[in-house]
Amino acid sequence: MAAALVLAAGLEGVREKLDPGEPHHENLYELSPSQLKKIGVQELPRTLGEAVDAFEADPFVEKILGTGLRNEFIKYKRAEWTEYHQTVSQWEIDRYARLF
């Protein structure tokens, strides 16, 4: 799906003659979030939950994949995110089992 969406986005950019803008020559890792926002750079989602929210909010995804596939993918990934949060990792066991 990712490849299909990237290809579709590229084709739309060519078809619509979208200008990608000038490249950034700054070291983006050295800029604060407010500085990044000022120059038009968006941060990527930090968690799977944030990524699913962004995926769901993007009308381009539904346009390319269709409502059914989009909704099933969102449902699957939300369930994955929930399962992740319900799992106790070995790190948590090692860290907290001795404290309590």
Side-chain angles (χ1 to χ4, degrees), residues 10-99:
L11 290 172
E12 182 175 277
V14 170
R15 185 177 50 253
E16 300 292 326
K17 297 182 172 116
L18 299 177
D19 180 7
E22 292 297 316
H24 293 281
H25 298 290
E26 308 92 335
N27 184 344
L28 300 181
Y29 292 104
E30 294 176 353
L31 301 179
S32 69
S34 62
Q35 290 171 311
L36 289 171
K37 192 172 188 172
K38 193 177 198 179
I39 62 172
V41 175
Q42 289 181 307
E43 290 188 71
L44 293 174
R46 295 179 184 186
T47 66
L48 177 58
E50 288 179 5
V52 174
D53 291 341
F55 184 88
E56 184 176 30
D58 191 341
F60 184 76
V61 170
E62 187 169 9
K63 176 181 168 186
I64 300 304
L65 299 179
T67 303
L69 180 56
R70 171 194 167 272
N71 290 346
E72 280 301 310
F73 185 76
I74 290 167
K75 185 170 109 180
Y76 173 77
K77 287 298 178 179
R78 288 211 192 283
E80 181 180 337
W81 185 236
T82 299
E83 185 179 342
Y84 170 79
H85 280 286
Q86 294 172 344
T87 303
V88 177
S89 71
Q90 188 61 47
W91 180 87
E92 291 169 310
I93 293 168
D94 294 343
R95 170 92 172 134
Y96 299 114
R98 288 181 252 155
L99 294 176

